[in-house]
Amino acid sequence: MTQIILTGDRPTGPLHLGHYVGSLQNRVKLQNEADSSGVAKYKPYILIADMQALTDNAGTPEKVSGNILEVALDYLAVGIDPSKSSIFIQSQIPEISELTMYFLNLLTLNQVERNPTVKEEIRQKDFGNKVPMGFLIYPVSQAADILAFNADLVPVGSDQIPMIEDTNMIARKFNQTYGTEVFKECEALVPENFSRLVGLDGKAKMSKSLNNAIYLKDTSDELWQKVRAMYTDPDHIKVEDPGKVEGNVCFTYLDAFAEDKAKVQTLKDHYSKGGLGDMAVKKYVMEVLDAKLSPIRERREELAKNPDRVMEILAKGTEEARSKVLETMTKVKAAMGIDYQLGKTSRKDKLKKLLNEV
Ligand code: TRP
């Protein structure tokens, strides 16, 4: 049986190397997995979560809408194949919002406020006592994203685990409340032995807001500027000085991306002993990263020449995704007894139904 995968990103900027190692690479791999008779193991739906992005960008919607094409280009450039994975825009499937409304009745304010990821984000974003309602409840809307597809697997970073727990809580609660088995519980697929890619400055996380990211769309020149600015060992002043490998971003990246592990080990030994300059290491980092990124960049530039074609891919993906969601919604409404079928009954029947049953 083909398993359904649902995952996605908020379109608040172009995607970076952290996204690539943390999730994009894995999505491409999953999309291409097949059993011995060639049947795809997974059907991936990939969501561009524009509504979720609006929950903390209400006043600057162009920041969200303006990045949809960017994210789609990144997806296609890394090898997400629209004939296998349906890429879609969240806001264009209104049933996801509808499902969110039904779900909101099934949990309490306390339960929503308990989500540790949202709590942490609220602290980071300095909302003070002005937390937008939409932001507070975005885990419920994320549950609707996932359950609208009855997804089996949700590939995400470990920060998203609380969202999956909320999703499964809502699935159970729905089934229990309406005496149904419409929803199944899903499983988070967190990349194994993966440590989050550090930023250029050595901070724990590569992110747009920390301004320490290498973007998939960066040109060779931009990449080199960033590699040159990479955090190394601040005490490694003269070439002859022994240098520290631990915490040195150059070596972290070489560990993550260089295929020639023996060469990396030789460089590390040399650096630790002294006699190897930062510039020499950085040149190798550049070589390794550019080899990885230049095919992606070239594909992206090619695709970017024809934005209409990309929008067509999104339109088709959204149509495919919506038809899947409509299947679920039919079951949801039947389970809740709100499948009124107003168009199909006489006016008298309609009135009777509305008066007696609602
Ligand atoms: N919250 C995710 C993020 O910030 C994006 C997202 C929205 C998502 N809906 C989802 C991820 C559903 C997985 C499944 O990256």
Side-chain angles (χ1 to χ4, degrees), residues 243-257:
K244 260 214 309 266
V245 165
E246 188 78 10
N248 184 321
V249 178
C250 287
F251 289 105
T252 312
Y253 279 47
L254 288 178
D255 283 337
F257 296 103

Side-chain angles (χ1 to χ4, degrees), residues 6-10 47 49 52 90 121 138 142 145-146 154-156 159-160 163-164:
L6 184 117
T7 189
D9 301 276
R10 296 182 198 178
L47 148 114
Q52 188 174 111
Q90 186 188 29
E121 278 176 297
Y138 91 71
Q142 187 159 335
D145 296 337
I146 296 168
V154 187
V156 280
D159 62 320
Q160 297 291 303
M163 309 303 167
I164 308 299

Side-chain angles (χ1 to χ4, degrees), residues 251 254 258-270 276 280 283-284 287-288:
F251 289 105
L254 288 178
E259 263 141 48
D260 191 347
K261 303 291 175 207
K263 173 158 181 177
V264 175
Q265 193 52 54
T266 311
L267 289 174
K268 283 181 180 174
D269 293 344
H270 194 174
L276 181 62
K283 283 196 177 135
Y284 185 51
E287 189 188 313
V288 166

Side-chain angles (χ1 to χ4, degrees), residues 5-270:
I5 288 183
L6 184 117
T7 189
D9 301 276
R10 296 182 198 178
T12 49
L15 302 180
H16 54 61
L17 213 48
H19 293 114
Y20 184 74
V21 291
S23 64
L24 299 175
Q25 229 174 358
N26 194 34
R27 288 182 203 173
V28 174
K29 190 172 138 261
L30 290 168
Q31 135 198 297
N32 293 329
E33 278 182 25
D35 67 16
S36 51
S37 48
V39 179
K41 281 197 187 161
Y42 307 106
K43 169 63 208 177
Y45 292 94
I46 300 187
L47 148 114
I48 301 182
D50 59 338
M51 282 199 304
Q52 188 174 111
L54 284 167
T55 62
D56 63 334
N57 287 295
T60 49
E62 65 285 352
K63 235 189 92 186
V64 177
S65 57
N67 279 305
I68 289 180
L69 184 64
E70 295 288 327
V71 170
L73 284 169
D74 287 329
Y75 285 166
L76 298 169
V78 298
I80 290 178
D81 174 352
S83 73
K84 297 178 176 164
S85 300
S86 304
I87 307 172
F88 70 99
I89 305 177
Q90 186 188 29
S91 65
Q92 301 308 297
I93 304 192
E95 290 77 16
I96 293 179
S97 308
E98 187 186 357
L99 192 56
T100 304
M101 284 301 285
Y102 300 143
F103 285 168
L104 281 169
N105 301 327
L106 298 176
L107 72 179
T108 64
L109 183 57
N110 264 312
Q111 283 170 320
V112 178
E113 283 176 336
R114 227 175 272 154
N115 185 303
T117 299
V118 176
K119 263 196 204 159
E120 178 56 28
E121 278 176 297
I122 287 174
R123 216 174 351 230
Q124 277 173 10
K125 289 178 196 282
D126 272 338
F127 285 132
N129 60 0
K130 294 209 167 82
V131 182
M133 283 294 284
F135 189 84
L136 184 68
I137 62 139
Y138 91 71
V140 183
S141 137
Q142 187 159 335
D145 296 337
I146 296 168
L147 293 173
F149 292 83
N150 243 324
D152 298 283
L153 298 171
V154 187
V156 280
S158 53
D159 62 320
Q160 297 291 303
I161 288 176
M163 309 303 167
I164 308 299
E165 287 168 354
D166 281 353
T167 301
N168 287 336
M169 172 175 80
I170 292 170
R172 285 192 297 270
K173 182 77 190 197
F174 186 96
N175 289 349
Q176 185 197 338
T177 305
Y178 301 111
T180 175
E181 288 180 9
V182 170
F183 292 119
K184 58 182 156 196
E185 294 191 31
C186 64
E187 197 186 315
L189 208 63
V190 180
E192 263 173 58
N193 56 43
F194 159 72
S195 51
R196 203 186 268 282
L197 193 67
V198 297
L200 294 169
D201 51 3
K203 296 244 171 69
K205 172 178 168 181
M206 181 175 278
S207 95
K208 185 170 54 83
S209 48
L210 295 173
N211 198 18
N212 63 2
I214 292 173
Y215 294 102
L216 299 176
K217 65 182 267 190
D218 281 348
T219 62
S220 257
D221 284 346
E222 285 165 332
L223 180 60
W224 177 234
Q225 292 311 319
K226 290 179 180 181
V227 172
R228 274 176 46 153
M230 258 181 196
Y231 179 86
T232 58
D233 169 7
D235 298 324
H236 185 236
I237 308 205
K238 290 193 236 98
V239 174
E240 316 81 83
D241 293 342
K244 260 214 309 266
V245 165
E246 188 78 10
N248 184 321
V249 178
C250 287
F251 289 105
T252 312
Y253 279 47
L254 288 178
D255 283 337
F257 296 103
E259 263 141 48
D260 191 347
K261 303 291 175 207
K263 173 158 181 177
V264 175
Q265 193 52 54
T266 311
L267 289 174
K268 283 181 180 174
D269 293 344
H270 194 174

